[in-house]
Structures are given as C-alpha cells and as structure tokens.
Amino acid sequence: MKTQAEVAVPAGGRELAAILTLPDRARGIVLFAHGSGSSRHSPRNRMVAEHLDAGGYGTVLMDLLTADEDSTELRFDIGLLADRLVAVLDWLPDVAALPTGLFGASTGAAAALVAAARRPAAVGAVVSRGGRPDLAANALASVRAPTLLIVGGDDSAVIELNEQAAVLLGAAAQLTIVPGATHLFAEPGALEEVSRLAREWFDRHLRP
C-alpha cells in the first residue's frame, strides 16, 4: 500500500506544487528535479518514479518554479533551482526522515548536483538522466554523494559534457551509456533501462 497526495512545499517565500508518494515502510525517498520546460506531471519522470515506488521508495515530483515564474530565463537559473531543491531537502525530514536521493533530468540534474554539494549530509545518492552537469560548474568538486550519470548513446554532445563532469566529480561518479537512446530516451525500452539503472543505484547507495 502507498499514500499519494498533492502538497505545497515552502521555499523562499513561495509554495512549490509537488506530488508526494510514500509506500508503507519506505526504504528511502527520491526528489525529482525536472528539466527546462517540464513539470511534476512529466510522463518520463513519472514513469521512473513509479518504478522506484514499486521498489519501496517514496518519491517527490515537484515544480521548482511557480506558474508566474515559468520563463526561459528562470528555467536555466541553476542557482535559483538549487535553492528550491535545498528548501525541499530541509522540509523533507518533517514529512519523512528517510535516506534521500536526488534524480535530475537535463538542467534539473545541474540543480540536483548543486543541492547535493550544499547539503552533503542530507543527500545519499544522485542520478542524472540526460543531464547537463556542466551547468553545476564549480559545485561538482564539492559533491560527496555517489552520482550516476545516464546518457543516451546517440546524444553525443551530452555524452562529452558528462564525461568531463565525471572527472570533476571524482571516484563517486559513474557514467553509463544507454545504447541507441537519444536525449529524451523516447526509444522503446530506453526509459525502462533508465528506471532499472536508477533503482539499482539507489538500492546500492541509499542506506539507513
């Protein structure tokens, strides 16, 4: 059994809309940071979240921007997005004091890595799907959480960016290529593979 609810998370004087799902006896919880132009209703991230839910993980799918803030400029404001994620990390223990992971897509992956660098004691693991870790800039060297970088095999420009980031992240990083997948992992079976890899990563690194 699980409970699911729409919640409002306070963050810097704003309230962020989120979907909180908690299975009975959850083993951990994963916060999702969406890419530019996406939201808590992203079908791709919801699919990954459902796979994690089935594995006993709670999930928080949230909008890092409010409706009146959703602009191209703010979608790429990694500092602001990371501030919002940190606010959610600080709020989460009031809801569920569980080992916590971050799952970031595209620009959301950069925000997740900056938040992990700011809250090393709160973040146990990070997974990036088609991420732009290069946008996390100087924060990469401060990330202590084991980080899985998942990139599509046909997403050549992003592969190179993730290879460079993996070096800066150090021994705690692993780069995994999904053959034949493009940036959005729209190919048959590609998102299923992302879901499997993410769950295995959190199984390995999110411990009480």
Side-chain angles (χ1 to χ4, degrees), residues 75-191:
R75 289 174 188 174
F76 286 87
D77 188 338
I78 303 303
L80 173 63
L81 301 179
D83 288 344
R84 299 286 171 83
L85 266 181
V86 167
V88 180
L89 286 168
D90 292 344
W91 162 85
L92 195 57
D94 294 334
V95 178
L98 294 166
T100 301
L102 298 176
F103 183 99
S106 191
T107 52
L113 288 166
V114 174
R118 293 185 190 173
R119 292 290 186 273
V123 179
V126 179
V127 174
S128 162
R129 171 181 65 79
R132 289 290 310 274
D134 56 299
L135 297 177
N138 296 333
L140 292 176
S142 299
V143 175
R144 297 293 174 261
T147 300
L148 176 63
L149 305 168
I150 306 173
V151 187
D154 292 346
D155 196 6
S156 56
V158 175
I159 289 176
E160 184 176 352
L161 294 172
N162 277 260
E163 287 174 338
Q164 296 167 357
V167 173
L168 295 173
L169 285 164
Q174 176 180 312
L175 174 62
T176 297
I177 308 296
V178 178
T182 51
H183 185 63
L184 294 179
F185 294 86
E187 295 70 26
L191 270 180

Side-chain angles (χ1 to χ4, degrees), residues 39-99:
S39 75
R40 67 190 186 282
H41 300 298
S42 161
R44 289 178 293 276
N45 281 346
R46 288 184 72 118
M47 178 178 172
V48 176
E50 287 171 3
H51 189 80
L52 294 176
D53 293 339
Y57 292 99
T59 54
V60 182
L61 294 136
M62 77 203 87
D63 296 343
L64 292 178
L65 297 174
T66 61
D68 63 307
E69 292 177 321
D70 195 7
S71 66
T72 300
E73 180 181 2
L74 291 181
R75 289 174 188 174
F76 286 87
D77 188 338
I78 303 303
L80 173 63
L81 301 179
D83 288 344
R84 299 286 171 83
L85 266 181
V86 167
V88 180
L89 286 168
D90 292 344
W91 162 85
L92 195 57
D94 294 334
V95 178
L98 294 166

Side-chain angles (χ1 to χ4, degrees), residues 27 57 174 197 199-207:
R27 59 195 298 188
Y57 292 99
Q174 176 180 312
L197 290 167
R199 181 164 153 183
E200 288 182 354
W201 192 257
F202 292 128
D203 284 346
R204 189 183 313 165
H205 297 290
L206 283 191
R207 301 180 183 277

